[in-house]
Amino acid sequence: MISDFTYLKPGSAKEALKMLAEHQDDGKIICGGQSLLIIMRQGLVTPEYVIDIKKLKDLNYMTFDPKDGLKMGATTTHRTIEKSAMVKEKYPVLVEMEEKLASIQVRNWGTIGGNLAHADAAGDPAPVLMSMGGSVKVASASGERVISLDDFYTDLFETAMNHDEMIVEVIVPPRPAKSATKYQKFNLLDSDQGIVAVAATITLNGGGVCKDARIVLGNAASTTIRAKEAEKVLIGAKLDDAVFQKAGEAAAAECQPVADIHASEEYRRHLISILTKRMAKAAWEQAKISG
Amino acid sequence: MEKQLLRLNVNDQNYEIYINPKTLLVEAIRDHIELTGTKRGCDTVSCGACTVVVDDMAVKACSVLAVQAEGTKILTSEGLEVNGKLAPIQKAFLDEGAFQCGFCTSGMLMSSVAFLNETKKPTEKEIRDGIEGNICRCTGYNSIVRAIDSVAKGKYTEDKV
Amino acid sequence: MNKYTVINPHEPFKVINTHIHNVDGWAKVTGRAAYTFDIKLPGMLYGKILRSPHPHANIRGIDASKALALDGVKAVVTGKDTLGIKQGIWRRYKDLCDEQILPVDKVRYIGEPVAAVAATTEEIAEKALDLIEVDYEVLPAVFEPLDAIKKGAPEIHEGFERNINVTRHIEWGEVEEGFEEAEYIREDWFRCGGQAHMCMETRCAVSSYTPDKKLTIYHSNQSPYYMQGLMAGVLDMREGDIRVVAPYVGGGFGGKFELDGAIFCTAILSMKCYKPVKIVYTREEDFIASKRRTPMFYYTRTGVKKDGTFCAREAKVFTNGGAYTGMGATALYLTGFFHSFPYRWKGYRYDGYRVYTNTLPSTSMRGFGAPQAMWCSEQQIEWIAADLGLDPIEMRRKNSHQEGTILPGQATIASCGIDQCYDEITKWIKGKGKLPANRSIGISACGFMSGGIFNWFDSPYSFSSAVVTINQDGTVELHIGAQEIGQGSNTTMAIICAETLGVKVEDIKVHSGDTDHCPPDLGAWGSRQTLMTGNATKMASENAKKQLLEFAYAQSGLNIVYDLDIKDRWVHAIARPERGEDFVKLVRKALRGKDGQKIVGRGYYTPHRKGMISPAYSYMLQGVEVEVDEETGKITLMDSMTAHDCGQPINHLGLIGQLEGAFSMAAGYGYLEYMPYEDGKLMNPNLVDYKMIRAPEMPPANIAEIDTYEPEGPYGAKEAGEGLTNPTAAAIGNALFHRFGVQMKECPVRPEMVVNALKEKKEKEAAEKK
Ligand SMILES: Cc1cc2nc3c(=O)[nH]c(=O)nc-3n(C[C@H](O)[C@H](O)[C@H](O)COP(=O)(O)OP(=O)(O)OC[C@H]3O[C@@H](n4cnc5c(N)ncnc54)[C@H](O)[C@@H]3O)c2cc1C
Ligand code: FES
Ligand code: FES
């Protein structure tokens, strides 16, 4: 049973931040509520004030320019991203990821800001965005700062945000030339949360050598993590199956998955190795043909 | 907790109800407005039995606070039929036997309606993804997929008002 | 999307097997259908159940005073407020009546009810639960049957040595001789998991006890008559003083014909405060405290000749019975019986042991022990064919039941279409040509009963009854005790009634699901209603029709060599159909001649001299095309084909729905639906972690319907409700075997198990090379 709370409905982001400043210890932001209401029902969080930012127009936007890349207001829904022709053209992997994120109902109401803030290590957007070098702009009543997703996740369901801060924008840098990102989660049902997931971005130089690689693992530790050892295997290498295999093994070795009823720790490592190999290769193949 | 006034528009009808702000949309619809066609089948936003259409989007009514739906237009299974005339999707469900116990049916219909409005010529795969959020323990889904497909293919166009 | 073909169809009927909409359909597609879940009575209170956190403990005392003091709480009940009567659905066998729904002094599984509260709101009731103090003495517990039978294991029920709850021995023919004749013998151990019924409507009830000492109960169940009888037993009331109404029911699948905490606790709460009380299980409660498919350990040993002739089989089974008997005793019998299916053996022997453990009780679930039986049998048969280099389809075919096959002391097979099933599946496989490298096909055969013959409930009534009443305007009231739970029984009975009376389905109003107004019937289990209630309905309709035709004869003055009939509301001489009279007119005249009394036809059915199990058996063969990702072990179902003999199909849409629906449940049992326990605690009691087939996972479920004629069934019909829950898991296992040569002995087959099996196989092959 959800415990009682006072419902606050700010009219602007600024007002929301003021309320948040006031209730930073006993308040909670609700956006789509897709995750929050479940944990509230389980009694895991019991805020006294709930600040509803779902309908804030000033946080609901999507823009792209070749220099700054993609900017999405925090309340942009999953479905908006999925259906955006612009996103499909510039960042097709985001659309592919969104199409497999939960069901249409959840994507219709759930938001990108809420998803990233919820900090579930099994979330889909974080690995993909992190792999593309994404960041979030967080704001409080006293100012704004941009945090790279690399530094955003600190522990299980914990982020680098202070209690008076909220995500206002998600930023994805423009895609470099000869670069591609691929993402896959392993799950039992088509759009389930991943048992593990891997996002891989491969950037090639003119000679077809791997100039940069960012491998990000979902649900392979208490937070979304970079697989830096795997990246080392890839960067500077002339890519082939043997290298992908080695990268997979490196990722499997460096992750810290936790066993549960769906998969043992060993099996999770095995899956990480397979998916890393596959995604790195898929990204490479895509990067070769991309401008 | 003091109750607050909430105005909801459900099936083109305005309602005024007094609720605790923690009331979920599904509770407002079922317990306060007393439209019980919308069901609940889980506590984890997993089953889709509570699906309603909010501003043309399928949404799980157990995942939304009722207060968040203020100012929207909500459609439930009771709102599909007009003066005894069934909507195409309802007819298709009857023709294909796309329900058994019927407990998932309201939610399934609402997912289907929103899906059909959005997707004009769906592939079978798209239809299946379109109802992925709805569990049906009885039918095995294929009859539901056939029903949606037949509406999409225009089998009931002459019925459209 | 799906192909549906009919092999050798019978003569067309007017109504039977035509495209008839479900008679409850309009209510279900308009949101009007009200389930127990939706019922709200004036002054109704809301109940909640406090559940045991311990798998095994003595209850030393319960202090509910603080809960009672909470504003809004109207009643609290514990075992002490009950008569303490141990009940069970095997009423005839006292020692198998072992469950107090609110135990007086001991809990035996996590989630068992301990106390219940009624309050003005659900929220207050829930808060009150936290205020109830229970003093437990925690006892050592045991969770696995093979541990529970060990000497010195904790005793779960007094007087049951080694925790053995029920044993079952089945034997026929010459088993030893059969094994002696056998040229090849194979033995294997298997393990089959549990499965949740996962009805979309969780268990729920509303009970209302009134000052006239009558109890009215709305309850989501599969057999109002059983509920009435069981409740009368535990409350020491007369059955007739209890009315059980099962309105629209949101699924059953074998999980809703025993007493549950909702019905029992609402009743005693209501008896305490004379107010209607409603309890709805949360999804978690439904998972942890509403029983499940029986997990089993199977040992099976099979002897065959080199040419593939089956000789003998013996099986030994230990089932995880959980804390109480329930319907589990029947599952123990049926798994043993169907483990012989659908084959002829010189000798067959089965020994089953149902073992108590401190886990959720296991019970009947769609397929009733047969899915487990087939998981083991149909895989082992596939392996035997491979061991001997024989064609698995042809080997099955030559050993299969035929019309007239006798299973000594158990059953006689009156109709059997399995031979044609083999043809259809062979055709389907051939039609596929060469499969992509990552795909393979597995097949599996089986059969199932059309209703059980056993009367462990000790009912003095006929197993099924029906009453047909014809009104003056030609409309017809059909009263049946059969329970509609989504399987379409109301529609099926309306079809049988309309066909028999010669009227249209829209002329018929079906009344079911109310013990006050409907004749007793054992209800919806064991795929019994089409055959049994169908026979009763047909008899009642024939009886009413005969009364009408008596008048028609009298007034037409027709020579007795001519037959009269009614079709499409037209009463006519069969030889001269154009000569006749409107049905309604005849009804009016007949009424006048009957002192104004409505025409009432009665029908009933109880199987007699039909063996030990069932009056008739359905048959089927299924092929499933499976894709497996060799590296991750992920299984994807690509296609399926089922050749199916259910006698004469009655309800066309209903039949397809049953077959497709059963497939999804059966497939789930094969590779997804998994109930892991740790120290007696279910680890995934929610729909996030309990995985079921959803629309994207469901492959085409093609059907070839083989029409046979079953002499015992109404119009030749047999079951189609449960049988198809049986073959799929084994078919998936067999597909894996054909692809990789691995033998999966445990279901559900999860991807990690596939990866491990492949790894093991590689290691073994490497070791052998050395
Ligand atoms: C059935 C189901 C399946 C799902 N499957 C997936 C899946 O496969 N993959 C996946 O990635 N996700 C999945 N999710 C999770 C879902 O995508 C996200 O959690 C959801 O989109 C979160 O957005 P929201 O707007 O609903 O957040 P809310 O539930 O409103 O909020 C979530 C948390 O974030 C905080 N918060 C919200 N917005 C902000 C903000 N702007 N700044 C700071 N904090 C904020 C809230 O206080 C809360 O703690 C699933 C959810 C459900 C119910
Ligand atoms: S009730 Fe299950 S998703 Fe809403
Ligand atoms: S019809 Fe019963 S759950 Fe879908």
Side-chain angles (χ1 to χ4, degrees):
Chain A
M1 206 67 40
I2 296 175
S3 64
D4 288 348
F5 58 77
T6 302
Y7 175 73
L8 301 175
K9 195 169 181 182
S12 66
K14 205 168 151 213
E15 200 185 332
L17 291 172
K18 232 174 83 192
M19 290 172 172
L20 192 57
E22 199 173 322
H23 296 295
Q24 46 182 299
D25 298 322
D26 53 4
K28 198 88 188 140
I29 286 175
I30 188 167
C31 198
Q34 301 296 297
S35 297
L36 182 66
L37 289 174
I38 298 177
I39 53 175
M40 282 177 69
R41 221 182 299 175
Q42 292 163 345
L44 298 175
V45 288
T46 52
E48 277 174 42
Y49 295 87
V50 167
I51 306 162
D52 185 1
I53 62 166
K54 167 82 177 153
K55 293 278 170 64
L56 292 184
K57 293 219 170 60
D58 46 355
L59 293 182
N60 186 6
Y61 56 85
M62 235 177 358
T63 62
F64 175 80
D65 82 69
K67 210 170 103 254
D68 295 342
L70 172 68
K71 294 185 171 160
M72 298 182 277
T75 65
T76 308
T77 64
H78 295 294
R79 193 77 171 147
T80 310
I81 300 169
E82 176 190 357
K83 290 281 168 192
S84 156
M86 177 266 284
V87 175
K88 194 172 170 94
E89 188 202 328
K90 305 291 178 197
Y91 305 92
V93 66
L94 280 181
V95 173
E96 290 161 25
M97 176 275 289
E98 288 289 3
E99 282 173 348
K100 297 264 172 203
L101 185 151
S103 56
I104 290 182
Q105 291 103 314
V106 173
R107 300 201 292 275
N108 275 338
W109 207 255
T111 64
I112 189 72
N115 184 295
L116 293 175
H118 186 53
D120 185 340
D124 294 310
V128 178
L129 294 169
M130 208 191 248
S131 160
M132 294 193 293
S135 50
V136 287
K137 188 196 278 178
V138 305
S140 68
S142 52
E144 289 181 351
R145 57 183 178 135
V146 172
I147 309 176
S148 161
L149 281 171
D150 282 352
D151 307 321
F152 190 62
Y153 294 112
T154 53
D155 203 346
L156 199 65
F157 296 105
E158 297 277 351
T159 71
M161 275 188 293
N162 298 322
H163 286 267
D164 64 344
E165 285 179 316
M166 71 177 191
I167 298 178
V168 288
E169 187 175 272
V170 179
I171 305 161
V172 193
R175 187 152 50 89
K178 289 269 168 218
S179 175
T181 305
K182 283 287 173 187
Y183 175 70
Q184 195 174 42
K185 54 179 165 180
F186 180 84
N187 49 15
L188 298 177
L189 303 177
D190 204 41
S191 301
D192 238 355
Q193 293 231 339
I195 287 175
V196 296
V198 175
T201 299
I202 299 285
T203 308
L204 300 176
N205 70 14
V209 170
C210 178
K211 189 166 108 190
D212 193 18
R214 287 172 72 90
I215 307 292
V216 185
L217 312 181
N219 219 13
S222 57
T223 66
T224 308
I225 52 164
R226 290 266 301 275
K228 297 210 170 142
E229 296 304 316
E231 291 172 1
K232 275 188 209 152
V233 172
L234 295 162
I235 295 170
K238 189 118 184 84
L239 300 180
D240 59 21
D241 283 345
V243 178
F244 297 129
Q245 174 80 24
K246 246 177 85 189
E249 285 161 12
E254 69 187 296
C255 65
Q256 298 119 32
V258 181
D260 67 13
I261 60 157
H262 302 300
S264 68
E265 186 192 322
E266 192 193 347
Y267 179 54
R268 276 171 203 269
R269 284 189 200 275
H270 170 76
L271 290 171
I272 287 285
S273 135
I274 302 290
L275 292 194
T276 302
K277 172 182 87 177
R278 287 182 183 178
M279 288 308 99
K281 183 172 180 183
W284 170 62
E285 278 169 349
Q286 185 76 39
K288 280 196 293 190
I289 55 168
S290 74
Chain B
M1 176 60 40
E2 204 173 312
K3 297 211 166 163
Q4 62 187 63
L5 172 68
L6 173 66
R7 291 195 177 85
L8 285 183
N9 182 287
V10 184
N11 302 332
D12 274 333
Q13 174 69 50
N14 289 317
Y15 294 90
E16 287 191 350
I17 56 175
Y18 286 86
I19 56 158
N20 181 319
K22 71 181 178 181
T23 306
L24 300 172
L25 180 57
V26 68
E27 293 164 342
I29 292 172
R30 283 181 53 82
D31 305 338
H32 295 265
I33 297 175
E34 304 203 320
L35 290 171
T36 54
T38 304
K39 305 293 188 228
R40 302 180 74 171
C42 70
D43 317 306
T44 48
V45 195
S46 309
C47 74
C50 62
T51 304
V52 297
V53 175
V54 179
D55 287 344
D56 298 324
M57 291 181 294
V59 169
K60 295 183 177 182
C62 72
S63 72
V64 176
L65 292 175
V67 285
Q68 292 188 294
E70 185 151 35
T72 64
K73 281 180 85 66
I74 300 164
L75 181 69
T76 72
S77 61
E78 290 95 336
L80 291 176
E81 148 213 352
V82 181
N83 291 331
K85 200 168 164 339
L86 299 188
I89 191 67
Q90 292 174 304
K91 290 190 180 169
F93 267 51
L94 287 172
D95 278 346
E96 294 295 338
F99 57 87
Q100 287 175 30
C101 78
F103 205 79
C104 72
T105 307
S106 285
M108 207 54 104
L109 284 165
M110 299 329 286
S111 283
S112 307
V113 164
F115 174 80
L116 282 163
N117 280 338
E118 253 187 313
T119 324
K120 283 310 158 207
K121 284 194 175 140
T123 61
E124 182 183 336
K125 170 89 176 85
E126 284 171 324
I127 297 176
R128 289 184 186 275
D129 289 347
I131 54 170
E132 194 272 339
N134 295 68
I135 291 178
C136 175
R137 188 51 152 172
C138 300
T139 63
Y141 306 97
N142 290 355
S143 53
I144 299 168
V145 175
R146 289 194 291 272
I148 298 172
D149 186 58
S150 67
V151 175
K153 294 227 166 86
K155 186 168 168 203
Y156 301 90
T157 37
E158 75 278 14
D159 295 322
K160 286 218 176 98
V161 240
Chain C
M1 262 156 239
N2 255 30
K3 257 183 69 188
Y4 179 83
T5 17
V6 181
I7 314 301
N8 52 1
H10 294 134
E11 274 188 24
F13 292 95
K14 286 281 174 196
V15 193
I16 283 177
N17 207 18
T18 60
H19 191 275
I20 301 277
H21 284 173
N22 187 295
V23 297
D24 303 321
W26 67 270
K28 288 180 177 176
V29 302
T30 60
R32 281 185 174 85
Y35 298 71
T36 302
F37 181 69
D38 302 320
I39 283 172
K40 199 172 187 176
L41 299 180
M44 188 173 86
L45 303 174
Y46 296 85
K48 280 272 166 199
I49 296 174
L50 182 70
R51 298 178 179 282
S52 167
H54 304 295
H56 201 188
N58 286 325
I59 303 171
R60 277 195 291 227
I62 302 178
D63 180 359
S65 51
K66 282 190 198 135
L68 273 166
L70 188 67
D71 190 29
V73 171
K74 296 294 173 192
V76 178
V77 291
T78 70
K80 293 255 174 354
D81 298 287
T82 69
L83 297 174
I85 292 170
K86 290 186 174 175
Q87 62 83 38
I89 198 158
W90 277 51
R91 278 204 305 202
R92 204 158 150 183
Y93 304 89
K94 272 286 153 274
D95 56 334
L96 297 183
C97 294
D98 53 7
E99 184 175 11
Q100 297 163 333
I101 302 286
L102 267 182
V104 177
D105 46 26
K106 188 173 170 182
V107 287
R108 296 178 174 86
Y109 68 94
I110 292 176
E112 183 160 11
V114 179
V117 178
T120 48
T121 70
E122 211 171 343
E123 194 170 352
I124 296 174
E126 203 169 298
K127 280 194 184 130
L129 292 187
D130 291 339
L131 301 175
I132 299 174
E133 286 160 21
V134 187
D135 179 12
Y136 291 106
E137 178 197 358
V138 177
L139 301 170
V142 61
F143 310 111
E144 288 292 339
L146 299 184
D147 296 331
I149 51 170
K150 284 191 187 133
K151 262 213 180 94
E155 184 184 60
I156 298 171
H157 287 270
E158 229 173 87
F160 285 83
E161 213 182 310
R162 289 179 176 242
N163 290 311
I164 292 173
N165 159 228
V166 195
T167 59
R168 232 335 146 174
H169 178 76
I170 303 175
E171 182 162 353
W172 71 71
E174 290 112 38
V175 181
E176 302 312 332
E177 229 174 86
F179 276 113
E180 268 162 39
E181 277 173 23
E183 293 157 348
Y184 180 72
I185 295 175
R186 185 178 170 116
E187 54 181 6
D188 294 284
W189 271 97
F190 295 89
R191 192 182 170 143
C192 322
Q195 185 177 24
H197 301 91
M198 226 311 285
C199 308
M200 278 298 283
E201 183 187 28
T202 58
R203 274 67 175 175
C204 55
V206 181
S207 292
S208 176
Y209 188 67
T210 40
D212 57 354
K213 306 240 177 305
K214 306 251 191 272
L215 180 61
T216 301
I217 302 170
Y218 298 85
H219 181 227
S220 182
N221 74 60
Q222 301 178 221
S223 176
Y225 164 65
Y226 277 167
M227 294 306 140
Q228 184 190 35
L230 290 170
M231 286 303 286
V234 288
L235 300 175
D236 193 23
M237 286 172 70
R238 295 184 302 177
E239 276 182 11
D241 290 333
I242 300 174
R243 175 184 178 195
V244 177
V245 184
Y248 292 100
V249 175
F253 313 112
K256 289 185 181 168
F257 62 105
E258 291 174 48
L259 289 193
D260 56 44
I263 187 172
F264 183 77
C265 295
T266 52
I268 48 170
L269 284 166
S270 181
M271 290 170 85
K272 204 154 188 184
C273 57
Y274 287 87
K275 289 260 185 336
V277 181
K278 179 175 188 172
I279 289 181
V280 177
Y281 277 22
T282 62
R283 179 56 62 196
E284 178 172 349
E285 286 181 288
D286 212 58
F287 268 112
I288 66 168
S290 67
K291 307 198 176 172
R292 57 174 164 156
R293 188 186 291 293
T294 311
M296 297 186 185
F297 288 86
Y298 245 94
Y299 162 82
T300 186
R301 178 166 171 258
T302 303
V304 305
K305 295 213 172 122
K306 287 251 160 75
D307 67 357
T309 307
F310 290 1
C311 302
R313 168 175 276 183
E314 70 173 340
K316 219 180 220 84
V317 173
F318 297 88
T319 78
N320 190 339
Y324 299 102
T325 307
M327 285 304 302
T330 318
L332 183 75
Y333 187 8
L334 291 177
T335 196
F337 179 69
F338 285 111
H339 192 56
S340 75
F341 256 58
Y343 306 112
R344 287 169 284 130
W345 306 95
K346 179 157 200 161
Y348 176 74
R349 178 159 61 218
Y350 162 82
D351 281 289
Y353 303 86
R354 187 174 192 277
V355 186
Y356 283 130
T357 64
N358 292 111
T359 60
L360 177 67
S362 58
T363 188
S364 50
M365 180 172 168
R366 199 175 193 176
F368 224 154
Q372 297 95 317
M374 301 336 276
W375 164 251
C376 314
S377 171
E378 283 298 300
Q379 285 200 97
Q380 195 191 48
I381 281 169
E382 199 75 15
W383 303 339
I384 289 173
D387 293 345
L388 298 176
L390 298 170
D391 177 329
I393 292 192
E394 291 312 314
M395 185 179 87
R396 282 182 175 86
R397 187 201 292 270
K398 76 191 252 186
N399 292 292
S400 279
H401 289 174
Q402 298 156 344
E403 230 177 78
T405 294
I406 291 172
L407 313 180
Q410 305 280 323
T412 302
I413 308 302
S415 65
C416 176
I418 196 164
D419 202 52
Q420 272 171 303
C421 294
Y422 292 113
D423 294 340
E424 290 307 308
I425 295 298
T426 306
K427 229 191 286 170
W428 176 75
I429 295 173
K430 284 212 175 110
K432 296 219 152 246
K434 196 169 152 45
L435 296 175
N438 57 354
R439 294 202 196 162
S440 55
I441 287 176
I443 61 154
S444 171
C446 73
F448 199 65
M449 63 177 181
S450 309
I453 280 173
F454 5 86
N455 189 15
W456 25 255
F457 192 69
D458 212 8
S459 170
Y461 296 118
S462 329
F463 279 20
S464 284
S465 314
V467 180
V468 167
T469 310
I470 305 178
N471 300 319
Q472 60 106 3
D473 55 5
T475 57
V476 178
E477 317 281 339
L478 171 63
H479 285 83
I480 46 174
Q483 186 55 38
E484 169 70 55
I485 55 172
Q487 83 288 49
S489 61
N490 280 353
T491 308
T492 299
M493 299 314 144
I495 289 172
I496 290 175
C497 182
E499 182 75 43
T500 312
L501 270 181
V503 297
K504 294 190 184 298
V505 166
E506 57 263 35
D507 297 334
I508 292 163
K509 218 190 277 166
V510 182
H511 303 271
S512 62
D514 186 338
T515 55
D516 262 15
H517 301 293
C518 301
D521 187 297
L522 302 188
W525 61 270
S527 296
R528 55 178 298 286
Q529 293 188 156
T530 295
L531 189 140
M532 297 196 188
T533 315
N535 275 334
T537 301
K538 183 162 181 266
M539 181 177 170
S541 310
E542 278 167 349
N543 181 276
K545 182 178 181 180
K546 186 156 177 289
Q547 295 176 46
L548 270 182
L549 290 183
E550 280 166 7
F551 284 95
Y553 268 112
Q555 71 163 358
S556 69
L558 213 61
N559 185 314
I560 58 158
V561 303
Y562 294 106
D563 281 328
L564 284 178
D565 199 4
I566 313 175
K567 288 225 183 305
D568 282 337
R569 304 176 179 144
W570 182 246
V571 190
H572 58 275
I574 291 173
R576 307 191 59 180
E578 71 286 359
R579 279 263 235 46
E581 165 169 46
D582 177 59
F583 177 74
V584 179
K585 279 194 190 140
L586 180 66
V587 170
R588 290 246 173 92
K589 287 185 203 156
L591 267 173
R592 276 187 213 118
K594 278 182 114 27
D595 268 358
Q597 291 300 297
K598 282 186 184 178
I599 291 165
V600 179
R602 287 182 182 285
Y604 53 87
Y605 177 82
T606 303
H608 289 290
R609 294 181 300 280
K610 291 286 157 204
M612 294 286 285
I613 310 286
S614 177
Y617 299 88
S618 65
Y619 287 92
M620 62 219 72
L621 186 72
Q622 186 169 77
V624 180
E625 184 183 345
V626 176
E627 187 174 295
V628 183
D629 181 327
E630 191 166 351
E631 285 183 315
T632 64
K634 182 165 173 164
I635 292 172
T636 311
L637 306 184
M638 305 306 296
D639 197 7
S640 75
M641 172 62 145
T642 306
H644 185 253
D645 155 30
C646 67
Q648 167 63 49
I650 304 282
N651 176 358
H652 172 73
L653 280 177
L655 170 65
I656 295 173
Q658 285 302 298
L659 302 188
E660 291 180 339
F663 183 94
S664 73
M665 197 175 255
Y669 186 57
Y671 82 109
L672 282 176
E673 296 185 36
Y674 166 52
M675 295 184 88
Y677 279 81
E678 266 173 37
D679 295 332
K681 189 172 160 73
L682 180 64
M683 299 308 288
N684 56 348
N686 60 67
L687 288 173
V688 175
D689 294 313
Y690 188 86
K691 311 288 181 192
M692 293 161 45
I693 297 244
R694 289 175 181 247
E697 283 73 39
M698 180 71 186
N702 303 297
I703 298 160
E705 195 53 60
I706 316 283
D707 288 5
T708 60
Y709 183 86
E710 167 55 47
E712 187 69 8
Y715 294 99
K718 302 191 277 194
E719 83 84 30
E722 290 179 83
L724 273 188
T725 329
N726 307 335
T728 314
I732 293 171
N734 285 339
L736 287 168
F737 175 66
H738 284 300
R739 168 91 186 279
F740 300 116
V742 291
Q743 298 179 345
M744 305 310 297
K745 301 203 170 168
E746 183 178 342
C747 78
V749 182
R750 289 168 300 117
E752 184 164 1
M753 291 156 63
V754 176
V755 167
N756 290 344
L758 289 173
K759 209 166 110 194
E760 229 171 78
K761 186 172 170 252
K762 272 195 198 122
E763 284 166 6
K764 216 170 125 194
E765 279 168 2
E768 272 164 18
K769 262 192 202 146
K770 274 183 199 161

